[in-house]
Amino acid sequence: MTGLLHQIDSPADLRRLPRTDLPALAKELREFVLQTVSQTGGHLGSNLGTVELTIALHYVFETPHDRIVWDVGHQTYPHKVLTGRRDRMHTLRQLGGIGGFPRRDESEYDTFGTAHSSTSISAALGMAMAAQLKGEARKAVAVIGDGAMSAGMAFEAMNNAGVPHEGQVPDLLVVLNDNDMSISPPVGALNKYLARLMSGNFYGAAREGAKAVLKNAPPLFELARRFEEHAKGMVVPGTIFEEFGFNYVGPIDGHDLDALIPTLENLRGKRGAQFLHVVTKKGYGYKLAEADPVKYHAASVKFNPSEGFPPSKPSKPSFMHVFGQWLCDMAEVDEKLVAITPAMREGSGMVEFHKRFPKRYHDVGIAEQHAVTFAAGLACEGLKPVVAIYSTFLQRGYDQLIHDVALQNLPVVFALDRAGLVGADGPTHAGAYDIAYVRCIPNCSMLTPSDENECRMALTTAFRADHAVAVRYPRGTGTGVVIEKELVAWPWGKGVVRRQGSRIAILAFGTLLQPALAAAEKLGATVADMRFVKPLDEELVLQLARSHEAIVTVEEGSLMGGAGSAVLECLAAHGVATPVLTLGLPDRFVEHGDPAKLLALCGLDAAGIEASILQRFRDASGGRPSLAAVNA
């Protein structure tokens, strides 16, 4: 590596550069990020869009003494490069490598772990308040995208931030990274001037001085306040933020370092709640990503930057596409179906549904709580809502699931994508807890299809139920089974035996059925595809427990409170003492990495399942599984 970037091992090195060198550094940094992601995969467009903003923040603020919190964190690759991790970027999102999101255990510059949306302002406010309480002179900055601003949590934090505590508003800067609008050159030039003016000392002094004088004449003070708001409102969309108690500045061009740095320097010296609105472009500097920011949001395969993403090869349909096709097919036969997504149209496979049924499609933005209660309201009026939501994101609407849906026994279908481990995105996105947190709620059922066709059947089964039902399915593709066109439902609450064996019965919940079958072939075991966690097929569980020497449960979910726990509870309730081995995700957060490797490390591949069974149920001669050494 040549040039400026190789000189930067920390933000302190960055701050030693003359400002005139920063545009050249930005060009190098953008190219480095592009080359890195082309080899490792990961988020692309959002990172290319924040290069100048990242440089400006670390150049102006004394990081890590000053705190920067990146909302979501999928735009922090430039931040990682500038904070001492350049030489490890080739390990990005790989097992044992650096994460794709900020992590406190990875760097002191990652002041707050993020990956879910809209948490930054709350966290940065907490840090600002802590500095105030401890008497420390430090700044706290929250960098949040325009999409994340649609979530209620962001506004809850702003509502709190502008209120004085013991007579003082904490020193907090919120930077809105708006990448969904563009600025024409004349407007951009005007906004640059206005931003410098409104963030500078002259404007602030004049504003505060006028306040002091006019407060003695309340009518004139109110008139001046309204005039200022309306004057700013004519040229900037900042009135709403001013109402929260923030001093609004912007919008300014987020790729113009000559605008960013002076404005940030002015705001760094101000007390209280400040709000800077910057406008950036996703994929900036890479023409292919600028032209198609949705496609180039993230790279899932290696690619040549000069050629762009390779054409997708026909392959087995993913579970996401199975859901999308089922949604369209069911909507054709039932006009009451309404589909809801919290800003994950592409990720949930709903593009085709949106095109074909626009009146029945609702993207509510990054607002999971609202999505669940909105669905409840639709259900109250006799419609049949289907909420397409990642497993990890339904966690954010848990109170609404209990209070607004289950308590009122409303028929809402929750299509839980990304159930289980998700690979490179890591523990923040893993759907490890849905079985445990859904099955404990009255009036809620949990279905675990084992392949693509079973997923289609499970969704049909859920849709025809008269209460809330969650259907969990993993990221990626399944086994490539033939998918039936008919909308066929399962017999309610019934599992099926997929392999008849003896001595050991393996109860598989979900897509781990395939490794369970492979292990059973070597062990001569029975395998049941349980299909339902709740209601559990207790008749099948008891039958297998009484006809076999031991039971093994297998699930790609949290062991604590999961499907294995449900089986144990069933056997205990009926006084059946058959030994049970439960296999699932351990009581720890599983790191990012290749999904197959992660499953193997958790003992949930075929070899791991076989080894666990043999270890628990091996007889003294080292032969077939036996109860002889169950308690050894």
Side-chain angles (χ1 to χ4, degrees):
M1 184 187 303
T2 60
L4 295 167
L5 189 57
H6 80 282
Q7 304 175 28
I8 309 299
D9 292 318
S10 72
D13 297 329
L14 170 66
R15 290 189 282 269
R16 283 192 283 268
L17 292 179
R19 190 182 296 180
T20 53
D21 283 350
L22 298 186
L25 175 65
K27 184 176 181 180
E28 290 184 32
L29 180 54
R30 179 169 283 109
E31 180 63 22
F32 182 83
V33 169
L34 176 59
Q35 294 297 332
T36 295
V37 175
S38 72
Q39 296 302 305
T40 64
H43 291 97
L44 182 60
S46 53
N47 283 289
L48 296 177
T50 56
V51 168
E52 288 82 7
L53 178 59
T54 304
I55 290 173
L57 286 168
H58 282 295
Y59 194 79
V60 171
F61 290 93
E62 293 291 329
T63 54
H65 175 75
D66 292 328
R67 316 302 198 203
I68 299 177
V69 180
W70 299 89
D71 206 282
V72 183
H74 64 330
Q75 77 284 49
T76 54
Y77 298 176
H79 160 80
K80 287 176 182 277
V81 174
L82 295 177
T83 54
R85 287 167 277 183
R86 183 186 65 242
D87 293 340
R88 296 189 63 210
M89 288 297 288
H90 69 281
T91 69
L92 185 69
R93 293 160 39 97
Q94 299 170 39
L95 187 61
I98 62 176
F101 300 95
R103 294 178 50 148
R104 281 172 52 84
D105 61 357
E106 187 176 291
S107 170
E108 62 178 333
Y109 294 93
D110 292 0
T111 60
F112 196 78
T114 55
H116 289 190
S117 167
S118 315
T119 63
S120 62
I121 303 178
S122 296
L125 176 59
M127 294 172 182
M129 180 61 71
Q132 179 178 311
L133 293 172
K134 294 161 66 178
E136 297 174 347
R138 71 170 80 244
K139 298 294 182 180
V141 182
V143 184
I144 185 169
D146 55 300
M149 283 298 296
S150 69
M153 186 174 177
F155 286 91
E156 291 172 14
M158 291 182 61
N159 185 55
N160 183 204
V163 178
H165 179 77
E166 296 295 318
Q168 181 180 343
V169 175
D171 294 337
L172 172 69
L173 170 61
V174 175
V175 178
L176 173 60
N177 175 31
D178 183 348
N179 55 27
D180 198 34
M181 61 180 288
S182 60
I183 307 175
S184 61
V187 177
L190 174 62
N191 277 316
K192 183 192 300 185
Y193 169 74
L194 288 171
R196 288 188 180 183
L197 178 66
M198 288 189 289
S199 66
N201 292 329
F202 175 79
Y203 174 84
R207 188 173 187 265
E208 295 306 313
K211 273 186 181 181
V213 172
L214 294 177
K215 275 186 176 179
N216 295 320
L220 291 177
F221 175 75
E222 181 63 18
L223 179 64
R225 185 187 67 81
R226 291 185 179 182
F227 176 78
E228 181 191 38
E229 285 185 0
H230 288 293
K232 292 176 77 172
M234 286 189 292
V235 292
V236 294
T239 304
I240 185 173
F241 304 113
E242 295 274 2
E243 291 296 330
F244 277 111
F246 284 77
N247 174 47
Y248 174 89
V249 176
I252 64 173
D253 185 349
H255 301 297
D256 185 350
L257 286 162
D258 289 332
L260 279 170
I261 290 177
T263 302
L264 287 170
E265 287 176 338
N266 286 333
L267 291 171
R268 182 189 60 190
K270 287 191 168 297
R271 304 300 302 274
Q274 308 295 322
F275 192 100
L276 175 61
H277 183 171
V278 303
V279 178
T280 62
K281 187 176 182 65
K282 283 184 177 179
Y284 185 78
Y286 183 44
K287 297 299 183 183
L288 294 172
E290 288 185 23
D292 194 345
V294 173
K295 178 180 179 181
Y296 284 87
H297 171 70
S300 58
V301 295
K302 291 184 178 181
F303 68 98
N304 184 335
S306 64
E307 299 175 357
F309 290 176
S312 57
K313 299 178 181 178
S315 62
K316 298 175 290 188
S318 68
F319 282 92
M320 174 189 74
H321 289 106
V322 170
F323 166 74
Q325 185 61 57
W326 170 85
L327 194 65
C328 291
D329 292 347
M330 185 58 78
E332 286 279 8
V333 300
D334 195 328
E335 62 183 12
K336 291 183 179 181
L337 185 152
V338 179
I340 302 164
T341 176
M344 297 303 296
R345 184 187 73 158
E346 287 78 16
S348 294
M350 301 176 72
V351 174
E352 184 64 23
F353 182 89
H354 184 199
K355 291 178 181 178
R356 291 175 56 184
F357 306 97
K359 290 184 178 180
R360 291 193 269 166
Y361 168 82
H362 297 274
D363 183 344
V364 301
I366 303 175
E368 294 88 356
Q369 293 172 306
H370 164 63
V372 177
T373 303
F374 175 55
L378 291 168
C380 284
E381 299 301 319
L383 296 179
K384 296 183 177 180
V386 177
V387 181
I389 187 169
Y390 291 6
S391 168
T392 187
F393 295 149
L394 183 57
Q395 295 165 185
R396 311 189 79 185
Y398 193 57
D399 178 64
Q400 289 69 28
L401 175 60
I402 296 173
H403 181 270
D404 301 333
V405 175
L407 191 62
Q408 302 183 93
N409 199 20
L410 295 172
V412 177
V413 175
F414 294 93
L416 303 187
D417 199 344
R418 271 64 166 181
L421 300 178
V422 292
D425 281 338
T428 56
H429 283 60
Y433 310 107
D434 50 49
I435 293 177
Y437 72 64
V438 169
R439 82 173 190 89
C440 66
I441 305 173
N443 299 331
C444 282
S445 292
M446 168 60 77
L447 279 57
T448 57
S450 57
D451 60 35
E452 305 94 315
N453 190 55
E454 289 280 307
C455 184
R456 184 175 171 89
M457 295 174 70
L459 289 163
T460 302
T461 306
F463 189 75
R464 292 176 179 171
D466 59 358
H467 62 283
V469 183
V471 179
R472 75 184 313 255
Y473 48 91
R475 183 178 191 171
T477 60
T479 59
V481 300
V482 175
I483 300 174
E484 300 173 12
K485 294 183 178 180
E486 292 77 13
L487 294 167
V488 178
W490 289 337
W492 184 257
K494 294 296 181 182
V496 290
V497 174
R498 299 295 188 187
R499 185 187 190 281
Q500 188 63 57
S502 63
R503 309 183 73 175
I504 302 290
I506 304 175
L507 279 52
F509 294 86
T511 52
L512 290 187
L513 173 68
Q514 299 309 316
L517 284 168
E521 284 295 325
K522 294 187 176 182
L523 298 170
T526 296
V527 179
D529 179 356
M530 295 304 295
R531 287 181 167 175
F532 292 80
V533 176
K534 184 182 180 183
L536 184 68
D537 188 347
E538 294 194 354
E539 182 180 352
L540 180 57
V541 171
L542 294 172
Q543 173 195 327
L544 294 174
R546 288 166 176 154
S547 59
H548 291 75
E549 298 178 11
I551 295 289
V552 178
T553 66
V554 182
E555 60 190 300
E556 194 175 341
S558 168
L559 269 178
M560 300 183 73
S565 294
V567 171
L568 287 167
E569 292 162 11
C570 170
L571 295 177
H574 290 84
V576 177
T578 304
V580 178
L581 170 64
T582 58
L583 301 178
L585 297 181
D587 184 26
R588 59 179 173 82
F589 295 110
V590 179
E591 292 301 304
H592 56 267
D594 177 76
K597 290 181 180 178
L598 295 178
L599 282 175
L601 288 173
C602 293
L604 294 177
D605 60 348
I609 293 170
E610 179 188 1
S612 294
I613 293 173
L614 288 173
Q615 182 179 8
R616 175 72 184 275
F617 302 120
R618 186 186 297 276
D619 63 23
S621 64
R624 292 170 60 87
S626 167
L627 288 186
V630 165
N631 297 314

